[in-house]
Structure formats: structure tokens, C-alpha cells
Amino acid sequence: MAEESQNGTPTVNSCVMEVNGTASHILYIGCSVTSEGFKTVSRSSCGLIDKVIVVIPGNPGCADFYRSFVESLHEKSDCIPVVAISHSFHHYQTLSSSWKSKLFQADVFNLQQQVQHKVDFINQFFTENTEVILIGHSIGGYVCLKLLQHYGRCRRTNSDIAENSETEAERQNQRLVCYDRNLVHGYLMMPTFERMKVSPRGQQMLPVIQHLRYLVLFLHFLFTSLVPKFWFLTLIGWFKTASQVEFVRQGVDTIYRTRCLCNFLYMASDELETVKALDKQLIQDSISKTTFYYTPGDGWAPAHYGEELRDRMGSEGVKVIIGQEGFAHQFLDQDSESAAEMILKWCKADEVL
């Protein structure tokens, strides 16, 4: 169910739902959620929502870090429902408590499994009549591109089936090939869909992610065994601003767990091996439905990647924006409101809102 604050304004809600058998953490505002999907919360209407903004996180993929961003998107979009879904097993509430999962690290997904998880989520919670606006941050941008490609191909496949089938019964039987879902546009914030390993931050993090991962996990386990969460936040407060401390506080239950950190690092390692050369077909398959945003100084998605993308796609007409707003790659702690305003301006210019 949706909740409201004491002054009657909507609040960001959190729940754990099954997505194709996988416990999944979801944030939502401006709607309610059941096993049948997301529904309106208006007193005059209780049907399924017809338009929604879906936020796909980066890595760490805990949607709690996007709480302020989700709230700003809802508030500044004339109260369009907004949903953010954590990556599988990146939120502490979705970790299995069974000893087998703990011992054998069964609850861990690679990048391709995370993509499939989002496909399953959209199939399960939205109908083909729901207009879905995607916002992907960092590796979430890669996931959005994969989603747009997948559903674009589904629509073409089902269209071919409809044209070539002689009877309605044949069409209905064959439509099981692909679900139809209406993904109208994807806004990719500092997207990492090419050359991750050779990016400035990729080169810096490669030794930690691929060679020192188990040492990092051991030190993290040792640290969290000795230092309570309260003192952990106090220590952060000595080095960070108030807004940064509040940002960490939102997801502290997740980053405090070594099993979650293990999943972050495992997915990061897979990203470095998977996201290599530019896949031009991936861009072409959704080129009219994507906006790419880069900022100077970003270590994961350097601005020159965006300039080169524009040049390499040539006359295809890719929409690349090199922003001068000064957003950091991790813009969520201080610039979530400004980023939300900027994206919603694009949405209105593209007539998707």
C-alpha cells in the first residue's frame, strides 16, 4: 500500500516482492503495489497505472540510495508514479537466511542475470498499455539499453507473427514468444556500456575488484564485527558533509553487510569483463528512444566517450548531452534534486510526459 506523511504528501515506500521467484527490493511513490502490479492511489480510480518512471540503479544497486532522487522525480513531474528496483541481492532484506546460501554464496547474480531480473520485473508488474520511462544510472544505463533492445525486438517479432498468422488462435498461441511492453524512452545518466576496464576509474579499481576482492571482504567483515553501525556513521561524519552522511545512512543496513559487499564486487568484476567494446547494434536498436548524458571529469563514463559515441554513430542521430552542471558520477548525495529537474525537462521536450 502507498503511504502519506503527516502533512498529506506522498512518501517513498519500500517493500520486498517476489520477481520470478527472486526476492526483490522495490521503492515506489505515487502508486500502490500488489502481486498483480502497480496501481493508482486516487480515490476516484483504483486501476493499473498508465504511465510510470522506472529507475535502474548503478552498482552498488541498492535502491535506498536513490530515495531522494525518486522523491524529487515524483514531486517535480506532477506526481507521476516512480518506481526504483534494487539489483538482485544488493539489498540486505533480499538475502537468504539459509545456511546453504550463506556458505555457498548462492544469492549472487552476474550482469546478464541482473538484466533478466529487470525483464522479469517489467513483465510481471506492468501491462503492455503502461508507458514506461526508464532512467538508468551508470551500469543501470547498460541495463536500460538491454531492456529497450529486448522489448523492441519483442514488438517486431509479435508484429511479424500477427501479419503471418491466418487465424486469431494462431496469433494468440504464438504471442507467447515475447511479452509486449511499452518502453517509451531511456535516459542514461553517466552510462557505462563500453570500455569500463580502460576507463580512468576502471583502471584504478581493477586491482581491488579482481585481485584484492577477498582481502577487502575479509577486512570489511573484521571491521563490521568490531565497529557498531552507530560508530560507523559517526566515523563517516568526521570526514563527510551532512548530506553525504544522510546519503550513507539511507543504505547503511546494506553496505554494513559483508554478503552485500561480496555481491557488489562480484557484479563489478563481471561488468569489467562484459562491458568492453562498443556494441553498435545495441545502440542502433533503440537509438530514437535514448538520451545519453555525460559530465566532464567522470572517471567511469568520461565525456570524451560521449563525443566519440556521437562521431562513431555518424548519421544515425544518437542524442548525446555533455553536461556542464558539475555532477559527480555519484550525484545522488547532493545533486539528486537538480538531476531530477534536468531529466524531467528532457521528458517534456521529448513529449513522453
Side-chain angles (χ1 to χ4, degrees):
M1 292 296 292
E3 298 176 1
E4 293 184 348
S5 63
Q6 291 182 349
N7 62 9
T9 59
T11 60
V12 179
N13 303 284
S14 175
C15 70
V16 174
M17 302 285 286
E18 292 283 324
V19 174
N20 196 22
T22 300
S24 305
H25 173 250
I26 300 166
L27 293 184
Y28 59 97
I29 185 172
C31 55
S32 62
V33 61
T34 70
S35 58
E36 298 175 355
F38 291 92
K39 297 187 176 182
T40 59
V41 292
S42 168
R43 290 182 176 86
S44 61
S45 174
C46 60
L48 295 174
I49 57 179
D50 56 9
K51 189 187 294 280
V52 64
I53 298 172
V54 176
V55 178
I56 308 294
N59 186 9
C62 174
D64 283 338
F65 292 125
Y66 295 75
R67 188 176 291 269
S68 297
F69 182 58
V70 165
E71 189 171 26
S72 294
L73 285 168
H74 177 68
E75 177 186 343
K76 298 177 184 300
S77 66
D78 296 326
C79 299
I80 296 295
V82 183
V83 175
I85 178 167
S86 296
H87 291 313
S88 294
F89 310 122
H90 280 215
H91 192 274
Y92 75 99
Q93 289 181 315
T94 62
L95 296 175
S96 173
S97 59
S98 73
W99 68 268
K100 286 186 177 180
S101 291
K102 291 180 179 179
L103 185 61
F104 297 107
Q105 195 63 28
D107 45 3
V108 59
F109 272 20
N110 62 25
L111 182 56
Q112 183 52 47
Q113 288 171 309
Q114 297 291 3
V115 172
Q116 185 60 49
H117 174 249
K118 308 312 176 290
V119 171
D120 294 337
F121 170 69
I122 291 173
N123 287 346
Q124 182 173 328
F125 286 95
F126 303 112
T127 70
E128 60 185 282
N129 297 318
T130 304
E131 294 183 2
V132 179
I133 301 166
L134 296 173
I135 298 177
H137 172 225
S138 193
I139 197 63
Y142 173 86
V143 175
C144 286
L145 285 170
K146 285 290 188 178
L147 291 174
L148 288 162
Q149 182 184 62
H150 171 81
Y151 287 106
R153 288 178 174 176
C154 284
R155 290 206 153 197
R156 290 192 292 274
T157 299
N158 287 330
S159 176
D160 290 343
I161 289 172
E163 290 179 3
N164 297 327
S165 300
E166 294 182 359
T167 67
E168 180 63 24
E170 287 180 348
R171 286 194 289 272
Q172 291 300 323
N173 287 335
Q174 293 182 77
R175 281 183 73 83
L176 295 175
V177 171
C178 260
Y179 288 91
D180 266 348
R181 294 295 182 267
N182 187 15
L183 275 56
V184 295
H185 206 91
Y187 297 95
L188 315 185
M189 299 291 290
M190 299 91 158
T192 52
F193 57 89
E194 61 166 319
R195 295 179 283 173
M196 282 192 71
K197 187 181 285 189
V198 298
S199 68
R201 285 292 287 162
Q203 293 181 66
Q204 291 172 5
M205 295 300 296
L206 182 63
V208 175
I209 292 173
Q210 293 196 333
H211 306 301
L212 301 175
R213 188 163 82 221
Y214 294 106
L215 175 60
V216 171
L217 291 171
F218 171 74
L219 293 175
H220 184 276
F221 175 77
L222 189 63
F223 177 81
T224 54
S225 299
L226 298 173
V227 180
K229 276 189 291 186
F230 170 78
W231 287 109
F232 174 63
L233 286 170
T234 301
L235 288 170
I236 291 176
W238 292 350
F239 304 100
K240 301 293 185 181
T241 64
S243 62
Q244 290 171 330
V245 173
E246 182 57 34
F247 171 71
V248 172
R249 189 189 304 278
Q250 291 177 350
V252 68
D253 286 322
T254 289
I255 62 176
Y256 196 72
R257 283 168 169 77
T258 303
R259 286 172 67 199
C260 287
L261 178 62
C262 181
N263 291 348
F264 303 161
L265 293 176
Y266 174 80
M267 180 175 165
S269 178
D270 190 52
E271 290 170 32
L272 294 178
E273 294 303 320
T274 302
V275 183
K276 292 184 175 179
L278 175 67
D279 183 349
K280 292 186 69 173
Q281 189 62 51
L282 180 63
I283 309 301
Q284 288 171 339
D285 281 348
S286 57
I287 198 164
S288 64
K289 290 186 173 185
T290 45
T291 299
F292 301 82
Y293 178 80
Y294 297 82
T295 59
D298 186 353
W300 283 112
H304 69 85
Y305 277 22
E307 295 164 352
E308 291 169 9
L309 175 66
R310 189 188 289 142
D311 294 338
R312 293 167 74 182
M313 298 307 297
S315 60
E316 296 293 337
V318 63
K319 186 175 181 180
V320 174
I321 298 173
I322 309 297
Q324 302 298 325
E325 292 78 11
F327 296 159
H329 188 81
Q330 187 55 274
F331 64 90
L332 300 164
D333 57 344
Q334 297 183 42
D335 298 310
S336 58
E337 185 174 345
S338 300
E341 287 180 350
M342 181 179 67
I343 293 170
L344 292 171
K345 286 180 182 177
W346 298 339
C347 290
K348 291 174 183 177
D350 294 330
E351 298 182 344
V352 298
L353 278 184

